[in-house]
Amino acid sequence: ETGVTQSPTHLIKTRGQQVTLRCSSQSGHNTVSWYQQALGQGPQFIFQYYREEENGRGNFPPRFSGLQFPNYSSELNVNALELDDSALYLCASSWTGQGPYNEQFFGPGTRLTVL
Amino acid sequence: QKEVEQDPGPLSVPEGAIVSLNCTYSNSAFQYFMWYRQYSRKGPELLMYTYSSGNKEDGRFTAQVDKSSKYISLFIRDSQPSDSATYLCATFTGNQFYFGTGTSLTVIP
């Protein structure tokens, strides 16, 4: 069973550019959530995808968008990058079943630096 | 008011000490509470979760929830240098998770 993987590991962009981050879910999982973790802060929920549909969104502007593919891998796209977008971006996969609590398994993250 | 508040520390203790990590939360509707451990340059990993009030023990780790005061705690007994990490408390409603800011812990050999 492979864990959650993310690519790239590190990325440097300039303000105004666009970026795509990728996540491969853990085998058997059907749900992906994306988080932004600024330095010294806890992860902030961006959005969640379940069966290729957005299934909830945190307080992030529309320039943060995502996709989930039939194999349950996912992308996070950020347009018009701002300096404050510099952070660790975490992907977490889980299995959405009948229970109220579904454990999330996190990837190692992508460190984005916006100059 | 943030959904989950956590003292960021940092916390430094000698090896073998008992560590107490604490969070408060704002919404009495929260039912599940999690503790994650995050090593530097890694993603968070789940240590344990509890449902409603009470204690839950797993080896050297004990999670405690007091819903009357909206207070959650993680105790680490016989702390080891390998416990040095950032500890995050979290809860959720629906499909949205809320994390504390994390407490940085260093266990000194």
Side-chain angles (χ1 to χ4, degrees):
Chain A
E1 180 180 276
T2 57
V4 179
T5 59
Q6 292 186 243
S7 62
T9 305
H10 295 92
L11 204 51
I12 299 175
K13 291 286 189 178
T14 55
R15 196 169 43 181
Q17 285 188 310
Q18 178 267 340
V19 69
T20 297
L21 310 181
R22 294 178 174 82
C23 171
S24 181
S25 302
Q26 185 165 312
S27 176
H29 287 180
N30 58 10
T31 302
V32 173
S33 301
W34 284 92
Y35 295 84
Q36 180 195 67
Q37 186 176 23
L39 199 60
Q41 301 296 315
Q44 298 291 313
F45 176 72
I46 302 175
F47 44 56
Q48 182 183 89
Y49 277 82
Y50 169 63
R51 292 187 175 180
E52 302 177 57
E53 297 283 335
E54 188 176 291
N55 188 40
R57 189 179 185 92
N59 190 26
F60 281 81
R63 60 190 185 83
F64 285 80
S65 63
L67 283 172
Q68 187 183 29
F69 300 100
N71 66 355
Y72 301 125
S73 64
S74 178
E75 285 182 355
L76 165 65
N77 298 291
V78 187
N79 293 323
L81 284 167
E82 301 177 0
L83 297 179
D84 284 350
D85 295 334
S86 295
L88 181 68
Y89 287 85
L90 294 162
C91 164
S93 76
S94 58
W95 168 257
T96 297
Q98 295 182 347
Y101 172 62
N102 304 296
E103 182 179 349
Q104 296 194 335
F105 294 82
F106 284 84
T110 293
R111 173 76 59 189
L112 173 65
T113 302
V114 182
L115 302 176
Chain B
Q1 184 183 14
K2 295 187 71 173
E3 288 80 8
V4 182
E5 301 273 5
Q6 183 174 10
D7 184 347
L11 192 58
S12 184
V13 302
E15 183 176 353
I18 296 174
V19 177
S20 173
L21 304 168
N22 307 294
C23 293
T24 58
Y25 62 95
S26 59
N27 189 341
S28 58
F30 292 140
Q31 295 285 346
Y32 288 84
F33 304 92
M34 291 75 71
W35 284 96
Y36 288 83
R37 177 174 61 197
Q38 185 174 24
Y39 291 113
S40 180
R41 303 185 183 279
K42 301 285 188 182
E45 58 175 334
L46 180 70
L47 278 175
M48 55 200 309
Y49 75 92
T50 54
Y51 172 71
S52 194
S53 280
N55 292 358
K56 185 174 183 178
E57 188 174 318
D58 184 359
R60 297 184 295 109
F61 298 88
T62 299
Q64 191 173 77
V65 177
D66 181 348
K67 294 202 77 181
S68 64
S69 59
K70 299 191 183 72
Y71 200 80
I72 55 178
S73 302
L74 178 71
F75 299 96
I76 307 174
R77 291 184 300 280
D78 187 25
S79 55
Q80 302 295 309
S82 59
D83 295 329
S84 298
T86 295
Y87 290 80
L88 298 154
C89 58
T91 186
F92 72 92
T93 179
N95 53 22
Q96 183 157 350
F97 279 62
Y98 301 98
F99 285 82
T101 54
T103 299
S104 176
L105 171 67
T106 300
V107 180
I108 302 167

